[in-house]
Amino acid sequence: MSANVSAEEMEIRESFKKVDVDGNGYITASELSNLFQEVGCSMPGYQIRELLQKLDKNNDSKVTFEEFTAIFKEMKGEGMAQKFRKALNKKEGILAIGGTSTISSEGTQHSISEQERFAFANYINSSLEKDPECKHVLPINPETEALFKAVADGIILCKLINRSVSDTIDERTINKKKLTPFTTQENLNLALNSASAIGCQVVNIGAQDLKEGKPHLVLGLLWQIIKIGLFAEIELSRNEAIAALLEEGETLEELMKLSPEELLLRWANFHLKKVGMSISNFSGDIKDSKAYFHLLQQIAPDGSKEDVPRVDVDMMGLYENDLAKRAECMLKQADRLNCRQFVTATDVVSGNAKLNMAFVATLFNKHPALTKPENQDWNLTSETREERTFRNWMNSLGVSPRVHHIYGDLQNAMVILQLYERIKVQVDWDSRVNHPPFKGIGGGHLKKMENCTYAVELGKKQAGFSLVGIGGQDLYDGNQTLTLALVWQLMRRYTLNVLEDLGHGEVAGDDLIVSWVNKTLSQAGKSSSIKSFRDKGINTSIPVLDLIDAIQPQSVNFELVQKGSLSDEDKLNNAKYAISMARKIGAKVYALPEDLVEINQKMVMTVFACLMGRGMKRA
């Protein structure tokens, strides 16, 4: 694994995602078979098994990303490999385009999906149609390349981010009129750094890529932003009715560990079970629309809720023999539930897993049809702001698998070990790390424990972290305080490494940052200063805004800044403006406005450190 993603690694990752349609982190024989069927070159079962055996190094009938990467490189010249690659490029609705990113080597091909372009353009049209500040590009023609031009000024991206996670961007900071190349660049900086702050991976995407409308990068970013919004409510702590999906013998803690994708599948089967049906994926199992018809029938409003009229789903379309026509009949019924979104009849019949999952998420969000079990006294705690910030930071760095629940998803230490690599601590992946899937007693308990112990050892011996009283067992058990203590030290080191790189190896620390902040403020003629990251003046956000204006003169509109005796609302408004302005001038800030108002020392440090990094780039 490496922090620098090569063109070949990008190709491998894109290929893996095309085959791993359910996104569970490994490939099965049925997924391989579905791939070849979709592209019209079905293979005999023995050849599928032969290909799976080539990919599956530990013979567990599941191919992890690591196994896929190793064998993909070895197979380049083989006939089987060529057939495999041909199938990947031929996948329904995929266009191959020449590599255009600065990290792409000449001749590299990136695949873009016409189906995704069509779906995302329509989603943007329906989501932002009433926003007067988007009228200059809406409606987007989904049949053309117009989508890639529409995002070029950054306004659409900023609006979509706020739709997915409200109040991420203070819209006062978006440049909207008489845009110049410079103000457009600011908008794109704001969009990319805000996307990173909500957990999007933007490591290999630059403002110039978006300005030029590079298709594979635009579609990849749009999907990440849209998916975060779609999945926001598919979490037990935010939607207690999901507890209705508990299976016999299952604990609430086990249910909470399921990813949004797994919960969606559980939800669909919860309703389908009533008619004796079930599905195991959002690709091959939904192609005939039967599951969709029955799901719609089960979740349609029954008239029992006030102001929600009853909808009787017309099931006659089930008897249509032509699958495309049947899918169209089904989508007309979905439209009656105000849920016709993301998929066309073609997407259903071809089994486009990504778009069908988005469609099912829309159904869940609008018509969950779940009731929280009665007589249950659960004490569900919502994710804290600190937990959310750490989770978004990890995901923005592209860790795999994606972190949904910080304690459960760090239990095998694989994500923590990837983070060590991001902070330049060498990990012995071959000799010391046990790779998933974990098998053995208790679901590979010992192997996970060994990983956790190694993660703590790396922190103490290689990274020089202060991990007094923290052991591998604490990570495995999901001890909240001790797990967060390790994650914070990883995030802090990552932030300081950026400064050390810019400062030609000078060791960065709190005192150095405070000194630089005050020197920069003084040289710019600003009256504000800070004594430490606990300074009471920080809760007004004025030192932060003054520093931003010192780094990029005349960037801050001080008419929008509240001064004097400030109410809590005034402080929060200043903080929202400060965080968005920091991102707008190019600082990758993960902290939230509340962190400034409450003077959260850890997060305040990251804000000033990121601004120092931005200021050093200017110098």
Side-chain angles (χ1 to χ4, degrees):
M1 294 189 183
S2 171
N4 298 315
V5 181
S6 69
E8 182 182 40
E9 287 170 328
M10 269 193 70
E11 181 192 5
I12 294 170
R13 192 168 290 280
E14 287 176 7
S15 299
F16 185 80
K17 286 178 180 177
K18 284 183 203 171
V19 190
D20 179 26
V21 291
D22 58 8
N24 63 4
Y26 54 81
I27 296 169
T28 61
S30 64
E31 285 174 324
L32 276 178
S33 180
N34 283 340
L35 169 71
F36 285 101
Q37 285 175 14
E38 278 181 44
V39 300
C41 55
S42 58
M43 291 170 63
Y46 78 91
Q47 284 193 356
I48 294 288
R49 287 191 295 276
E50 184 183 331
L51 180 56
L52 188 66
Q53 284 168 6
K54 263 188 183 298
L55 295 166
D56 182 20
K57 291 173 76 175
N58 62 358
N59 299 314
D60 62 357
S61 300
K62 293 176 181 179
V63 180
T64 65
F65 178 70
E66 288 77 15
E67 289 174 327
F68 185 83
T69 300
I71 306 300
F72 195 90
K73 291 178 179 178
E74 291 173 17
M75 286 171 49
K76 275 190 171 179
E78 297 185 14
M80 180 74 77
Q82 289 171 1
K83 197 168 186 179
F84 184 39
R85 285 168 183 258
K86 185 178 178 182
L88 287 167
N89 281 328
K90 212 178 151 192
K91 190 166 162 119
E92 187 78 34
I94 297 287
L95 289 174
I97 58 171
T100 51
S101 169
T102 53
I103 68 159
S104 300
S105 56
E106 192 173 345
T108 298
Q109 288 209 325
H110 295 284
S111 297
I112 67 161
S113 166
E114 290 181 281
Q115 295 170 324
E116 288 176 28
R117 185 191 69 198
F118 189 90
F120 298 165
N122 282 331
Y123 174 78
I124 291 169
N125 287 339
S126 62
S127 299
L128 302 176
E129 62 182 348
K130 293 179 181 176
D131 192 324
E133 290 165 346
C134 297
K135 284 185 176 177
H136 64 297
V137 291
L138 297 186
I140 300 166
N141 185 343
E143 303 283 0
T144 69
E145 305 286 307
L147 173 64
F148 307 119
K149 294 178 182 176
V151 302
D153 65 12
I155 295 175
I156 291 284
L157 289 171
C158 288
K159 297 282 187 176
L160 276 180
I161 288 167
N162 272 354
R163 183 173 174 82
S164 285
V165 182
S166 61
D167 283 340
T168 298
I169 295 173
D170 185 334
E171 295 208 1
R172 295 175 296 176
T173 62
I174 305 174
N175 301 318
K176 298 161 187 169
K177 296 178 181 177
K178 297 179 181 177
L179 295 178
T180 65
F182 177 74
T183 55
T184 296
Q185 174 87 13
E186 285 188 321
N187 279 351
L188 293 169
N189 285 342
L190 177 59
L192 282 170
N193 289 325
S194 299
S196 186
I198 65 170
C200 295
Q201 183 187 356
V202 299
V203 174
N204 296 309
I205 307 175
Q208 191 62 31
D209 295 318
L210 299 178
K211 197 180 291 186
E212 293 172 9
K214 293 180 179 176
H216 66 288
L217 296 176
V218 170
L219 290 178
L221 179 59
L222 285 175
W223 171 238
Q224 290 188 77
I225 295 168
I226 292 168
K227 187 178 178 184
I228 286 168
L230 284 173
F231 285 1
E233 296 301 317
I234 308 174
E235 187 187 330
L236 189 57
S237 63
R238 298 180 69 168
N239 187 344
E240 291 189 4
I242 289 175
L245 303 179
L246 271 169
E247 294 181 345
E248 191 173 345
E250 187 176 40
T251 66
L252 209 59
E253 289 71 27
E254 288 169 331
L255 185 67
M256 288 183 75
K257 287 180 181 178
L258 296 182
S259 69
E261 293 93 335
E262 290 169 326
L263 281 173
L264 267 186
L265 199 58
R266 174 82 65 92
W267 172 76
N269 284 325
F270 172 82
H271 289 297
L272 291 173
K273 187 178 180 181
K274 298 167 189 173
V275 292
M277 290 187 71
S278 70
I279 58 173
S280 59
N281 56 60
F282 297 124
S283 51
D285 289 1
I286 51 79
K287 288 182 178 183
D288 62 7
S289 297
K290 288 180 180 178
Y292 279 155
F293 264 110
H294 288 291
L295 181 58
L296 291 173
Q297 187 181 46
Q298 292 298 319
I299 67 173
D302 59 8
S304 61
K305 287 186 179 178
E306 197 175 335
D307 300 327
V308 182
R310 180 184 177 90
V311 177
D312 290 306
V313 173
D314 183 351
M315 303 289 282
M316 288 302 293
L318 263 177
Y319 302 102
E320 171 60 61
N321 290 325
D322 183 286
L323 290 185
K325 290 179 181 177
R326 186 190 299 171
E328 183 57 37
C329 291
M330 179 276 295
L331 289 172
K332 285 178 180 175
Q333 298 308 306
D335 197 24
R336 295 178 61 211
L337 272 63
N338 196 27
C339 291
R340 183 166 186 159
Q341 191 69 268
F342 292 110
V343 291
T344 62
T346 302
D347 299 328
V348 175
V349 174
S350 69
N352 185 311
K354 184 184 291 185
L355 297 182
N356 277 284
M357 183 168 61
F359 173 59
V360 176
T362 304
L363 295 176
F364 175 92
N365 287 326
K366 295 193 176 181
H367 302 283
L370 294 174
T371 304
K372 181 186 173 184
E374 295 179 359
N375 304 320
Q376 298 284 355
D377 187 23
W378 290 316
N379 182 23
L380 290 175
T381 54
S382 297
E383 184 179 46
T384 66
R385 285 203 316 274
E386 187 174 52
E387 288 165 353
R388 188 168 87 225
T389 300
F390 287 154
R391 178 172 57 81
N392 287 338
W393 168 68
M394 289 186 272
N395 287 330
S396 75
L397 296 180
V399 295
S400 179
R402 187 174 178 84
V403 178
H404 296 290
H405 304 289
I406 198 165
Y407 305 109
D409 291 347
L410 301 187
Q411 191 183 37
N412 63 21
M414 291 300 290
V415 166
I416 291 175
L417 294 171
Q418 291 171 60
L419 293 173
Y420 275 120
E421 285 215 323
R422 302 302 195 278
I423 65 165
K424 303 174 186 175
V425 170
Q426 191 170 353
V427 177
D428 185 350
W429 292 100
D430 295 326
S431 304
R432 295 295 308 272
V433 180
N434 298 309
H435 295 266
F438 299 98
K439 292 191 171 185
I441 299 171
H445 164 81
L446 289 176
K447 291 184 177 180
K448 293 176 184 177
M449 269 291 300
E450 286 173 357
N451 282 358
C452 291
T453 300
Y454 180 47
V456 174
E457 178 189 315
L458 280 176
K460 290 178 178 178
K461 295 183 179 178
Q462 301 296 322
F465 290 164
S466 173
L467 298 176
V468 178
I470 301 179
Q473 185 75 46
D474 299 309
L475 296 183
Y476 181 78
D477 291 342
N479 181 300
Q480 297 184 8
T481 302
L482 299 181
T483 299
L484 291 183
L486 173 57
V487 174
W488 161 242
Q489 292 192 64
L490 285 161
M491 185 179 187
R492 185 177 189 276
R493 178 66 56 82
Y494 179 83
T495 305
L496 295 179
N497 277 356
V498 173
L499 296 183
E500 289 173 19
D501 288 344
L502 290 167
H504 307 294
E506 183 180 3
V507 177
D510 291 8
D511 291 343
L512 180 70
I513 298 168
V514 170
S515 174
W516 182 89
V517 167
N518 288 328
K519 181 180 177 182
T520 305
L521 287 169
S522 175
Q523 288 177 344
K526 304 293 183 182
S527 59
S528 59
S529 64
I530 61 170
K531 295 183 179 68
S532 70
F533 300 132
R534 296 188 298 271
D535 195 297
K536 291 181 180 179
I538 291 170
N539 77 352
T540 67
S541 296
I542 288 172
V544 178
L545 287 161
D546 276 345
L547 183 61
I548 291 167
D549 201 63
I551 293 168
Q552 189 166 304
Q554 273 125 23
S555 59
V556 175
N557 179 357
F558 282 99
E559 291 181 7
L560 300 175
V561 180
Q562 304 296 318
K563 295 179 180 176
S565 179
L566 301 182
S567 66
D568 289 344
E569 185 180 0
D570 291 334
K571 290 176 183 176
L572 186 58
N573 283 333
N574 279 0
K576 287 178 179 178
Y577 185 56
I579 294 293
S580 285
M581 281 304 305
R583 293 170 182 159
K584 181 177 178 178
I585 69 164
K588 191 169 281 188
V589 171
Y590 291 92
L592 299 169
E594 291 84 356
D595 293 322
L596 292 180
V597 174
E598 296 171 12
I599 317 181
N600 178 331
Q601 186 181 350
K602 292 176 183 176
M603 291 301 137
V604 166
M605 184 281 271
T606 66
V607 171
F608 283 113
C610 289
L611 286 169
M612 181 177 172
R614 170 63 180 81
M616 290 170 73
K617 282 182 182 176
R618 177 194 61 161

mmCIF file of all heavy atoms in Angstrom, residues 29-43:
data_model
loop_
_atom_site.group_PDB
_atom_site.id
_atom_site.type_symbol
_atom_site.label_atom_id
_atom_site.label_comp_id
_atom_site.label_asym_id
_atom_site.label_seq_id
_atom_site.Cartn_x
_atom_site.Cartn_y
_atom_site.Cartn_z
ATOM 1 N N ALA A 29 -17.794 -15.786 -6.805
ATOM 2 C CA ALA A 29 -17.975 -16.420 -8.111
ATOM 3 C C ALA A 29 -19.203 -15.868 -8.814
ATOM 4 O O ALA A 29 -19.198 -15.658 -10.033
ATOM 5 C CB ALA A 29 -18.101 -17.939 -7.932
ATOM 6 N N SER A 30 -20.274 -15.610 -8.062
ATOM 7 C CA SER A 30 -21.500 -15.102 -8.691
ATOM 8 C C SER A 30 -21.275 -13.713 -9.274
ATOM 9 O O SER A 30 -21.820 -13.374 -10.327
ATOM 10 C CB SER A 30 -22.650 -15.069 -7.681
ATOM 11 O OG SER A 30 -22.368 -14.165 -6.639
ATOM 12 N N GLU A 31 -20.436 -12.884 -8.617
ATOM 13 C CA GLU A 31 -20.155 -11.551 -9.145
ATOM 14 C C GLU A 31 -19.331 -11.638 -10.425
ATOM 15 O O GLU A 31 -19.559 -10.873 -11.379
ATOM 16 C CB GLU A 31 -19.444 -10.710 -8.089
ATOM 17 C CG GLU A 31 -20.376 -10.234 -6.991
ATOM 18 C CD GLU A 31 -19.654 -9.519 -5.856
ATOM 19 O OE1 GLU A 31 -18.523 -9.912 -5.510
ATOM 20 O OE2 GLU A 31 -20.245 -8.579 -5.298
ATOM 21 N N LEU A 32 -18.379 -12.573 -10.462
ATOM 22 C CA LEU A 32 -17.614 -12.766 -11.696
ATOM 23 C C LEU A 32 -18.529 -13.228 -12.822
ATOM 24 O O LEU A 32 -18.459 -12.743 -13.952
ATOM 25 C CB LEU A 32 -16.510 -13.815 -11.470
ATOM 26 C CG LEU A 32 -15.192 -13.340 -10.858
ATOM 27 C CD1 LEU A 32 -14.267 -14.529 -10.672
ATOM 28 C CD2 LEU A 32 -14.529 -12.298 -11.726
ATOM 29 N N SER A 33 -19.394 -14.179 -12.508
ATOM 30 C CA SER A 33 -20.326 -14.707 -13.508
ATOM 31 C C SER A 33 -21.242 -13.610 -14.031
ATOM 32 O O SER A 33 -21.478 -13.487 -15.233
ATOM 33 C CB SER A 33 -21.152 -15.841 -12.890
ATOM 34 O OG SER A 33 -22.065 -16.358 -13.835
ATOM 35 N N ASN A 34 -21.755 -12.769 -13.105
ATOM 36 C CA ASN A 34 -22.637 -11.666 -13.506
ATOM 37 C C ASN A 34 -21.930 -10.696 -14.434
ATOM 38 O O ASN A 34 -22.512 -10.194 -15.395
ATOM 39 C CB ASN A 34 -23.137 -10.906 -12.271
ATOM 40 C CG ASN A 34 -24.230 -11.649 -11.537
ATOM 41 O OD1 ASN A 34 -24.872 -12.533 -12.105
ATOM 42 N ND2 ASN A 34 -24.439 -11.312 -10.275
ATOM 43 N N LEU A 35 -20.643 -10.435 -14.171
ATOM 44 C CA LEU A 35 -19.883 -9.518 -15.018
ATOM 45 C C LEU A 35 -19.870 -10.000 -16.462
ATOM 46 O O LEU A 35 -20.192 -9.250 -17.387
ATOM 47 C CB LEU A 35 -18.448 -9.387 -14.504
ATOM 48 C CG LEU A 35 -17.465 -8.670 -15.460
ATOM 49 C CD1 LEU A 35 -17.771 -7.179 -15.522
ATOM 50 C CD2 LEU A 35 -16.023 -8.901 -15.041
ATOM 51 N N PHE A 36 -19.536 -11.271 -16.653
ATOM 52 C CA PHE A 36 -19.436 -11.786 -18.017
ATOM 53 C C PHE A 36 -20.805 -11.888 -18.683
ATOM 54 O O PHE A 36 -20.933 -11.671 -19.887
ATOM 55 C CB PHE A 36 -18.723 -13.140 -18.005
ATOM 56 C CG PHE A 36 -17.237 -13.017 -17.792
ATOM 57 C CD1 PHE A 36 -16.676 -13.249 -16.552
ATOM 58 C CD2 PHE A 36 -16.404 -12.634 -18.828
ATOM 59 C CE1 PHE A 36 -15.320 -13.112 -16.343
ATOM 60 C CE2 PHE A 36 -15.041 -12.493 -18.639
ATOM 61 C CZ PHE A 36 -14.496 -12.735 -17.392
ATOM 62 N N GLN A 37 -21.837 -12.188 -17.909
ATOM 63 C CA GLN A 37 -23.188 -12.233 -18.476
ATOM 64 C C GLN A 37 -23.632 -10.851 -18.922
ATOM 65 O O GLN A 37 -24.233 -10.676 -19.977
ATOM 66 C CB GLN A 37 -24.173 -12.794 -17.447
ATOM 67 C CG GLN A 37 -24.058 -14.299 -17.247
ATOM 68 C CD GLN A 37 -24.974 -14.798 -16.141
ATOM 69 O OE1 GLN A 37 -25.863 -14.099 -15.702
ATOM 70 N NE2 GLN A 37 -24.724 -16.019 -15.688
ATOM 71 N N GLU A 38 -23.327 -9.826 -18.098
ATOM 72 C CA GLU A 38 -23.743 -8.459 -18.403
ATOM 73 C C GLU A 38 -23.162 -7.963 -19.721
ATOM 74 O O GLU A 38 -23.796 -7.215 -20.447
ATOM 75 C CB GLU A 38 -23.301 -7.517 -17.283
ATOM 76 C CG GLU A 38 -24.230 -7.499 -16.092
ATOM 77 C CD GLU A 38 -23.737 -6.516 -15.040
ATOM 78 O OE1 GLU A 38 -23.349 -5.411 -15.419
ATOM 79 O OE2 GLU A 38 -23.745 -6.877 -13.856
ATOM 80 N N VAL A 39 -21.936 -8.355 -20.009
ATOM 81 C CA VAL A 39 -21.288 -7.838 -21.213
ATOM 82 C C VAL A 39 -21.455 -8.774 -22.409
ATOM 83 O O VAL A 39 -20.830 -8.598 -23.447
ATOM 84 C CB VAL A 39 -19.782 -7.567 -20.964
ATOM 85 C CG1 VAL A 39 -19.608 -6.555 -19.863
ATOM 86 C CG2 VAL A 39 -19.029 -8.855 -20.624
ATOM 87 N N GLY A 40 -22.324 -9.769 -22.247
ATOM 88 C CA GLY A 40 -22.663 -10.634 -23.380
ATOM 89 C C GLY A 40 -21.591 -11.624 -23.765
ATOM 90 O O GLY A 40 -21.550 -12.080 -24.914
ATOM 91 N N CYS A 41 -20.694 -11.965 -22.852
ATOM 92 C CA CYS A 41 -19.690 -12.990 -23.180
ATOM 93 C C CYS A 41 -19.607 -13.965 -22.010
ATOM 94 O O CYS A 41 -18.577 -14.066 -21.337
ATOM 95 C CB CYS A 41 -18.336 -12.375 -23.513
ATOM 96 S SG CYS A 41 -17.651 -11.272 -22.268
ATOM 97 N N SER A 42 -20.732 -14.639 -21.764
ATOM 98 C CA SER A 42 -20.803 -15.548 -20.620
ATOM 99 C C SER A 42 -19.775 -16.671 -20.765
ATOM 100 O O SER A 42 -19.473 -17.131 -21.859
ATOM 101 C CB SER A 42 -22.206 -16.132 -20.481
ATOM 102 O OG SER A 42 -22.577 -16.805 -21.660
ATOM 103 N N MET A 43 -19.237 -17.095 -19.634
ATOM 104 C CA MET A 43 -18.210 -18.133 -19.609
ATOM 105 C C MET A 43 -18.765 -19.376 -18.934
ATOM 106 O O MET A 43 -19.601 -19.275 -18.035
ATOM 107 C CB MET A 43 -16.973 -17.646 -18.825
ATOM 108 C CG MET A 43 -16.198 -16.538 -19.514
ATOM 109 S SD MET A 43 -14.942 -15.835 -18.411
ATOM 110 C CE MET A 43 -13.860 -17.231 -18.131
#
